[in-house]
Amino acid sequence: MRSLFTIVAVALTTMAVAVSSATAAPSLAAPPRTQGGAGTVLWEDQFNGHGGPDPSKWGFQTGRWGASSGEQQYYTDSWNNANQFNGSLNITARRETPPDRKRAPYNFTSARVVSMGKQSVTPPVRIEASIKMPSAQGLLPAFWTLGLQPGGEYSWPSQGEVDIVEIPGLYGPSFNLHGPSKWNSNQDVKTGGSMNPVGNGFHTYRIDWLPNSITWFVDGVARYSFTQAQYEAKGGNWKAFSGAWPHYILFNVAVGNNWTGKTLNSTPYPQTMSVDWLRVSRL
């Protein structure tokens, strides 16, 4: 059982995280709910709690996830890295000594918040969230899904990955698919698109995911679309995106990788991604 001193210290730390990351009350409200038929809300989170993410909806993947891709952070389940405060889920990357005591350039902590084992999504489905995403050299905040392939829940890329949005470094939103080739389940077939940088406030990122296509939206405007036929023409196996198995949702802030490059000593930390709300609806 936590001591009173620990509880007070954690509460103060949580407040400090929110203040240091300048997490203001979001200006965007969740869209109207629809009851029955297409548009029925399957599950959602308004992130109105205090402390850690709602454990009935979210868990953590901790440790050196992404190390093979050159990422520099250690993911923790600490409220210093993921907390609910001021009506948002706040995920913060920090330059500090990580639990495994690694030194620079791997001296960063962050959080990888996942719905695995709690909630899942299967097409036809709409997934959308209002997010304020940081932009800095070597940073990679992301809102995405991974497939729960039976017996292959960690078999990438055969499980399938849908990147609803990523902000690579100082560039604009990026939308990507990763899946296996028709001939080799270990070979990544990637496709995707991008757009110019958006403002640093809250924006609504969304996909409309059908069994044979996925369309990406930013603030209600379609920005990229890809079909099963197009993916298969690239040599990809669409099964992971067809509804053959569900996916789970992830929010994380990665520090550095082979795509964005290492973060710079001059990049200021902490860096926070704030999620106002998330909604999953039937199409």
Side-chain angles (χ1 to χ4, degrees):
M1 180 178 296
R2 296 182 180 180
S3 67
L4 178 61
F5 175 80
T6 301
I7 292 173
V8 171
V10 169
L12 290 174
T13 299
T14 302
M15 292 175 65
V17 169
V19 171
S20 68
S21 60
T23 304
S27 60
L28 299 179
R33 299 172 61 91
T34 304
Q35 301 296 334
T40 299
V41 175
L42 300 177
W43 60 281
E44 64 182 338
D45 200 335
Q46 299 291 333
F47 302 112
N48 288 327
H50 293 276
D54 183 344
S56 71
K57 298 174 181 176
W58 304 102
F60 294 90
Q61 291 175 338
T62 60
R64 290 282 173 183
W65 292 79
S68 61
S69 299
E71 294 182 13
Q72 299 169 250
Q73 78 289 323
Y74 186 105
Y75 289 122
T76 83
D77 58 2
S78 168
W79 290 4
N80 280 335
N81 297 115
N83 64 74
Q84 289 187 94
F85 189 82
N86 203 24
S88 296
L89 169 66
N90 307 297
I91 298 178
T92 300
R94 297 179 174 278
R95 193 195 305 267
E96 61 183 359
T97 302
D100 62 1
R101 315 298 294 180
K102 284 194 174 183
R103 299 181 179 181
Y106 302 104
N107 55 329
F108 294 88
T109 63
S110 187
R112 178 165 159 140
V113 179
V114 303
S115 73
M116 185 179 189
K118 313 282 186 173
Q119 304 280 356
S120 61
V121 298
T122 307
V125 70
R126 172 173 292 172
I127 310 170
E128 54 190 333
S130 175
I131 312 174
K132 181 179 180 181
M133 305 189 88
S135 177
Q137 177 61 44
L139 211 62
L140 187 63
F143 167 37
W144 51 307
T145 80
L146 281 172
L148 292 165
Q149 180 181 5
E153 293 84 354
Y154 302 103
S155 298
W156 190 91
S158 65
Q159 66 188 129
E161 174 182 332
V162 182
D163 298 320
I164 302 170
V165 63
E166 300 175 283
I167 304 291
L170 298 171
Y171 292 95
S174 180
F175 326 107
N176 298 289
L177 280 183
H178 294 270
S181 79
K182 296 177 183 177
W183 305 280
N184 182 353
S185 63
N186 295 317
Q187 179 182 342
D188 176 28
V189 177
K190 176 186 176 181
T191 186
S194 61
M195 60 181 287
N196 290 331
V198 295
N200 60 4
F202 282 85
H203 296 274
T204 300
Y205 300 99
R206 159 185 148 204
I207 57 170
D208 284 359
W209 183 359
L210 300 174
N212 59 0
S213 69
I214 303 176
T215 302
W216 285 256
F217 297 78
V218 177
D219 293 329
V221 178
R223 294 293 184 173
Y224 183 68
S225 186
F226 213 72
T227 68
Q228 176 180 352
Q230 290 173 310
Y231 194 71
E232 291 176 346
K234 288 175 62 73
N237 181 349
W238 185 261
K239 185 175 181 178
F241 313 113
S242 69
W245 51 76
H247 282 224
Y248 64 97
I249 291 175
L250 305 90
F251 291 105
N252 70 296
V253 178
V255 177
N257 67 18
N258 297 335
W259 179 25
T260 62
K262 299 295 185 186
T263 194
L264 303 176
N265 290 334
S266 59
T267 299
Y269 283 87
Q271 294 279 352
T272 297
M273 174 172 75
S274 295
V275 186
D276 179 11
W277 52 263
L278 165 80
R279 180 170 295 171
V280 177
S281 308
R282 178 59 64 217
L283 286 178

